[in-house]
């Protein structure tokens, strides 16, 4: 998956704004190239986990379809931990068709990786920043 620099900058700005809570959303695009960040509210308002409101998920899917885009990744931030899936992230990664991107803000050095997760196991990692 390719994530343009301007989208990465958007993710960093949003994650910094939402900190200390995790920030989250979907990365939309086509042919493995992200063209939009679709931010969604972390309804848990937590620094250690996130949840989307079902109505926001449906709105994101409707929006993507209206623009002929696909949901390429679910993304969230880790305000104070590394860019790797937590045990909870692995447990909740139940869509084998998308990637799971994690933006770490640990030590003020943003790092962005995305992962393919199947049956609770990381099977592929891509470094984006």
């Amino acid at each position: 998956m390719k994530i343009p620099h301007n989208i990465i900058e958007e993710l960093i700005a949003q994650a910094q704004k939402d900190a200390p809570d995790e920030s989250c959303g979907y990365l939309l695009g086509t042919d493995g190239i992200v063209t939009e960040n679709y931010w969604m509210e972390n309804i848990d308002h937590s620094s250690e986990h996130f949840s989307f409101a079902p109505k926001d998920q449906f709105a994101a899917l409707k929006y993507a379809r209206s623009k002929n885009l696909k949901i390429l990744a679910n993304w969230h931030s880790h305000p104070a931990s590394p860019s790797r899936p937590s045990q909870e992230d692995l447990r909740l990664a139940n869509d084998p068709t998308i990637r799971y991107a994690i933006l770490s803000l640990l030590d003020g050095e943003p790092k962005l990786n995305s992962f393919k997760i199947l049956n609770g196991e990381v099977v592929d990692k891509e470094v984006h920043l």
Side-chain angles (χ1 to χ4, degrees):
M1 178 174 70
K2 301 265 188 228
I3 307 173
H5 188 71
N6 66 310
I7 303 269
I8 292 172
E9 291 297 320
E10 245 183 70
L11 299 181
I12 292 168
Q14 188 63 54
Q16 289 171 335
K17 179 181 174 214
D18 291 345
D21 291 346
E22 289 190 357
S23 193
C24 54
Y26 285 139
L27 297 177
L28 309 177
T30 54
D31 300 320
I33 300 169
V34 174
T35 57
E36 291 190 46
N37 164 36
Y38 192 98
W39 174 85
M40 287 188 279
E41 178 184 3
N42 174 359
I43 62 170
D44 292 341
H45 302 285
S46 170
S47 62
E48 296 180 359
H49 53 89
F50 73 99
S51 294
F52 300 139
K55 68 177 178 52
D56 292 342
Q57 287 181 280
F58 287 120
L61 185 56
K62 185 177 178 179
Y63 174 83
R65 286 181 177 161
S66 77
K67 301 284 188 182
N68 290 319
L69 300 173
K70 294 193 180 316
I71 296 171
L72 300 179
N74 166 323
W75 80 271
H76 72 281
S77 64
H78 281 181
S81 60
S83 175
R84 65 174 178 247
S86 66
Q87 288 302 313
E88 183 172 328
D89 294 336
L90 293 172
R91 183 175 60 79
L92 296 174
N94 54 21
D95 186 343
T97 67
I98 65 171
R99 298 188 69 80
Y100 292 86
I102 300 173
L103 172 65
S104 171
L105 299 178
L106 184 64
D107 299 327
E109 289 291 323
K111 293 190 177 22
L112 178 63
N113 297 312
S114 70
F115 306 87
K116 188 66 140 176
I117 300 173
L118 300 174
N119 301 317
E121 298 287 327
V122 173
V123 296
D124 177 62
K125 173 184 174 183
E126 292 179 356
V127 176
H128 302 282
L129 176 68

